[in-house]
Amino acid sequence: MLNENIRALRKAKGLSQQELAVRLNVVRQTVSKWEQGRSVPDSDLLVSLSEVLEAPVSTLLGESVAETEADGLKAIAEKLEVVNLQLARQKEARRRIVRGALIALCIALTAGFLILFFVGSPYQAWDFTDPETAVLGVGLHAAEWLYVRVAPVLLLGAIVGLILTRKKG
């Protein structure tokens, strides 16, 4: 509803997204995201938006103008609280997905190291005079060489990512 109201009031004032963005000191993409419902303006921008569009904040949020100012501010605060809660839930869901992927990466890399450690490299005892086993042996050796050099960096990066995405508080 907020996104539709912003678009309708902007068009009623004859403003383009770029002109509105300039007046609010934001980029045009921000206004576009508001109008698409992909994000919402924070409380300060909501007040600035209402001033530029010459419409009360309550109108932007879809309420009737007949309410008293104190009730209107309370309603705005409640609506902003709901919007902030929804955005916080989305952020938390993304954080959980990233953490799950990082944990899976750590497990996979550790498992790879354990496999290499316990199994060893059986292809090193192959007869490399046979062209078929020579090519396969060189390929496996190259893969192991690459893994042993790249995996520690990936593991360290995944651990740092887990530390940075841990839940604070």
Side-chain angles (χ1 to χ4, degrees), residues 76-149:
I76 291 169
E78 289 172 358
K79 285 188 180 271
L80 285 174
E81 186 176 336
V82 168
V83 169
N84 283 336
L85 181 62
Q86 290 172 344
L87 291 174
R89 285 181 184 160
Q90 289 175 352
K91 183 178 178 182
E92 178 64 18
R94 282 191 299 269
R95 187 189 69 79
R96 285 182 181 165
I97 290 170
V98 168
R99 282 188 63 80
L102 290 172
I103 288 170
L105 179 62
C106 286
I107 291 170
L109 291 172
T110 304
F113 275 120
L114 290 173
I115 289 169
L116 287 176
F117 179 74
F118 287 116
V119 173
S121 299
Y123 62 85
Q124 289 181 354
W126 288 357
D127 178 16
F128 286 97
T129 58
D130 179 21
E132 290 181 15
T133 57
V135 170
L136 184 60
V138 169
L140 288 172
H141 181 71
E144 181 180 325
W145 181 88
L146 185 64
Y147 181 82
V148 168
R149 276 143 186 86

Side-chain angles (χ1 to χ4, degrees), residues 14-134:
L15 296 172
S16 67
Q17 286 183 345
Q18 180 65 39
E19 292 168 330
L20 181 58
V22 168
R23 290 187 183 185
L24 295 172
N25 293 323
V26 297
V27 294
R28 184 202 56 79
Q29 289 83 354
T30 302
V31 175
S32 176
K33 286 180 182 178
W34 293 342
E35 291 185 2
Q36 293 173 6
R38 292 182 21 215
S39 70
V40 294
D42 63 19
S43 57
D44 293 332
L45 278 173
L46 194 58
V47 171
S48 298
L49 192 58
S50 73
E51 291 171 358
V52 170
L53 296 176
E54 298 177 350
V57 174
S58 58
T59 301
L60 286 173
L61 295 174
E63 294 188 3
S64 64
V65 185
E67 297 178 356
T68 64
E69 189 173 325
D71 290 340
L73 289 176
K74 182 179 177 184
I76 291 169
E78 289 172 358
K79 285 188 180 271
L80 285 174
E81 186 176 336
V82 168
V83 169
N84 283 336
L85 181 62
Q86 290 172 344
L87 291 174
R89 285 181 184 160
Q90 289 175 352
K91 183 178 178 182
E92 178 64 18
R94 282 191 299 269
R95 187 189 69 79
R96 285 182 181 165
I97 290 170
V98 168
R99 282 188 63 80
L102 290 172
I103 288 170
L105 179 62
C106 286
I107 291 170
L109 291 172
T110 304
F113 275 120
L114 290 173
I115 289 169
L116 287 176
F117 179 74
F118 287 116
V119 173
S121 299
Y123 62 85
Q124 289 181 354
W126 288 357
D127 178 16
F128 286 97
T129 58
D130 179 21
E132 290 181 15
T133 57

